[in-house]
Amino acid sequence: MRKIITVVVLGLWTMAGRAGDGPAWPQFRGVNGSGVAEGQQPPVQFSPTKNLKWKVPAPSGLSSPITVGDKLVITGFEDGKLYTIAYGRATGKEAWRQHAPAKKIEGYFKKGGSPAQSTPTTDGTRIYSF
């Protein structure tokens, strides 16, 4: 699962634009929820060794990453806790991690699900996750 998250994060990063371009991919399926990155030229091929800027371990989760300013943001589930995590788009270095306390974690299918499924969103200033 961790490998899948890393590849998804990096794959979207390559499509979402350069670091510092602003909220290029602010929500699930990008700008206006269209799934289209206007004016971008994503690579036709990518793999764990091809067309990658950086690769880092990430906690399990099924959210789609978003970008805001110079950050790439995901939700994750690790050690029984939910997190929203930001990485520097230029380096992949973890910038911050915010714990989202939950009174109870709902049951989920461990081989194909995760409590960290909701994609965060941003208005360009604040980041929201559920």
Side-chain angles (χ1 to χ4, degrees), residues 91-125:
T91 64
K93 182 178 178 185
E94 189 173 309
W96 52 261
R97 177 181 292 229
Q98 180 63 47
H99 175 235
K103 289 182 183 179
K104 179 182 176 187
I105 302 291
E106 293 182 24
Y108 62 98
F109 181 62
K110 294 185 186 204
K111 290 188 177 184
S114 171
Q117 293 190 53
S118 298
T119 298
T121 190
T122 183
D123 61 8
T125 303

Side-chain angles (χ1 to χ4, degrees), residues 35-110:
V36 176
E38 293 286 338
Q40 301 298 314
Q41 295 180 333
V44 177
Q45 300 175 355
F46 71 93
S47 72
T49 58
K50 187 174 187 175
N51 288 322
L52 296 180
K53 175 83 172 182
W54 46 263
K55 182 164 63 171
V56 297
S60 69
L62 298 174
S63 71
S64 294
I66 64 165
T67 59
V68 58
D70 64 350
K71 303 289 185 280
L72 182 141
V73 183
I74 62 170
T75 60
F77 184 64
E78 187 171 62
D79 298 326
K81 295 180 181 177
L82 294 165
Y83 295 97
T84 300
I85 307 160
Y87 299 92
R89 288 174 64 186
T91 64
K93 182 178 178 185
E94 189 173 309
W96 52 261
R97 177 181 292 229
Q98 180 63 47
H99 175 235
K103 289 182 183 179
K104 179 182 176 187
I105 302 291
E106 293 182 24
Y108 62 98
F109 181 62
K110 294 185 186 204

